[in-house]
Amino acid sequence: MPELPEVETVRRGLHELIIGKVVQTEQHDTEKGFPNTLADVSAFLLGATITDVRRRAKVLMIDLSSGYSLVIHLKMTGQLVFVGETRFGAGHPNDSLIGELPDKSTRVSLLFTDGSALYFNDQRKFGWMKLLPTTEIPNMKFMQKVGPEPLEDDFTPQQFMQRFLRRAKTNIKAALLDQSVIAGVGNIYADEALWGAKLHPLRLVGSLTEEEFTLLYHELRAVMKLAVQKGGSSNHTYVNAEGKKGSYMDFARVFRLEGTLCQRCGAIIEKTRVAGRGTHICPVCQHL
DNA sequence: CACTTGACCTGTCCGC
DNA sequence: TGCGGACAGGTCAAGT
């Protein structure tokens, strides 16, 4: 499911909904195949108040008054859904895509003292939720190597180009997806940004001109900003903190549009495979 | 070291 | 209607 815009949408929703809530009980999936470290340290979870909800790259952090944080990666199919003013297991927003919670893909349930709840659902179990001291988060392996946030105001085209040149001999799509180059880009927004910059995904990073890097920088930021504004993109699994979908796909220009006409030149959009991922291009605009 | 590929899981869709 | 295989918005460990 989620790339930076989707995770940011979830973060904003949770920030509105769960700050100040006090954790009363917690249940988690103990099946193998779902990695989490909640069991060992639940003493730092129960009775704690939620103080902040943050994001770095595609990782969410829910800070607690105990000095610990829930650190969450949704990977492909993870969802964090808040259910307000109900009892455990009862009810949900009327326009939600989510049925009654918890359900068979619920991995973690957090019940708050006011009767509301937060559910971590994950069909494919790639996602994870860990509880660790807030001060330890920057020491996580992922945090050590992850690249800069592309939407930060102080992120410049020069930085952008320099980060990519670390991967000069691979193709531009693989480099965009590499979290150590730039944080938060995934398959949707990689394809959308490459179309915007008229770059073929197989172009070698080292072959791009400074002008092409600058254009890609602006296209990537524009696409991600629009997606945040639209609440992200939704397939059948992505939902925000209220269980609702985002509308970016209404604005997509190539992603999952194979067989339709390129809005820029009228050629037929094609789907191929690059860096092991389904890849959508306009074969005319985005030449090698 | 840089780069590519397979593995982790479950569900769905598509062709036979 | 059933079955096999490919594939799904991510990342890491292993391989070359």
Side-chain angles (χ1 to χ4, degrees):
Chain A
M1 140 174 89
E3 307 181 29
L4 186 155
E6 290 74 33
V7 179
E8 177 60 18
T9 300
V10 173
R11 187 202 69 77
R12 291 180 181 186
L14 291 178
H15 196 270
E16 287 298 307
L17 293 165
I18 66 170
I19 287 183
K21 305 281 185 200
V22 177
V23 181
Q24 183 168 58
T25 60
E26 177 273 322
Q27 301 177 1
H28 63 270
D29 195 339
T30 53
E31 282 175 57
K32 71 171 183 180
F34 177 69
N36 71 69
T37 60
L38 294 181
D40 301 336
V41 284
S42 61
F44 296 97
L45 184 56
L46 302 183
T49 302
I50 293 172
T51 59
D52 203 0
V53 183
R54 299 177 292 135
R55 178 189 63 77
R56 174 76 171 99
K58 300 172 191 171
V59 175
L60 280 165
M61 295 158 278
I62 299 176
D63 296 330
L64 300 160
S65 59
S66 60
Y68 273 64
S69 299
L70 287 164
V71 184
I72 303 144
H73 201 307
L74 302 173
K75 292 287 182 83
M76 300 285 265
T77 54
Q79 307 169 328
L80 278 173
V81 181
F82 176 80
V83 178
E85 300 182 0
T86 70
R87 296 293 163 211
F88 183 39
H92 55 83
N94 285 336
D95 50 355
S96 173
L97 289 183
I98 301 287
E100 187 137 317
L101 291 171
D103 64 21
K104 69 176 184 177
S105 61
T106 300
R107 309 300 165 204
V108 181
S109 303
L110 293 184
L111 292 304
F112 302 119
T113 52
D114 66 356
S116 60
L118 181 66
Y119 298 97
F120 178 30
N121 271 28
D122 187 12
Q123 187 176 89
R124 288 170 74 180
K125 302 182 181 178
F126 290 171
W128 45 257
M129 177 182 278
K130 303 170 196 277
L131 183 64
L132 69 166
T134 306
T135 54
E136 287 298 311
I137 295 173
N139 299 328
M140 296 172 73
K141 199 186 288 183
F142 178 87
M143 293 301 181
Q144 290 284 317
K145 68 169 192 179
V146 70
E149 290 289 323
L151 295 185
E152 289 294 303
D153 291 338
D154 59 358
F155 182 60
T156 66
Q158 286 69 33
Q159 272 179 282
F160 183 82
M161 182 170 72
Q162 278 162 12
R163 301 291 304 183
F164 276 92
L165 290 177
R166 296 149 44 113
R167 303 288 313 270
K169 288 163 80 173
T170 192
N171 62 66
I172 186 64
K173 171 138 184 184
L176 275 165
L177 295 175
D178 183 342
Q179 299 299 294
S180 73
V181 175
I182 301 290
V185 184
N187 206 33
I188 297 178
Y189 304 111
D191 281 6
E192 291 290 296
L194 287 170
W195 181 91
K198 300 188 185 178
L199 290 170
H200 194 286
L202 287 175
R203 279 283 299 281
L204 293 186
V205 172
S207 79
L208 268 67
T209 65
E210 189 167 352
E211 289 69 31
E212 287 175 322
F213 276 117
T214 303
L215 184 55
L216 181 59
Y217 164 90
H218 288 296
E219 290 295 330
L220 179 64
R221 286 179 33 123
V223 154
M224 302 261 257
K225 282 181 183 171
L226 176 64
V228 170
Q229 207 179 320
K230 299 300 173 191
S233 304
S234 287
N235 66 3
H236 67 107
T237 55
Y238 170 72
V239 290
N240 68 17
E242 297 173 273
K244 299 175 189 169
K245 12 192 289 189
S247 68
Y248 175 83
M249 285 308 295
D250 297 342
F251 302 84
R253 291 137 342 151
V254 279
F255 192 80
R256 290 211 307 249
L257 290 175
E258 63 269 28
T260 70
L261 302 185
C262 172
Q263 61 181 253
R264 197 162 48 202
C265 76
I268 297 175
I269 302 295
E270 296 177 355
K271 182 171 182 183
T272 63
R273 205 152 186 85
V274 176
R277 315 297 303 278
T279 297
H280 310 76
I281 61 167
C282 169
V284 174
C285 296
Q286 296 170 267
H287 51 81
L288 268 171

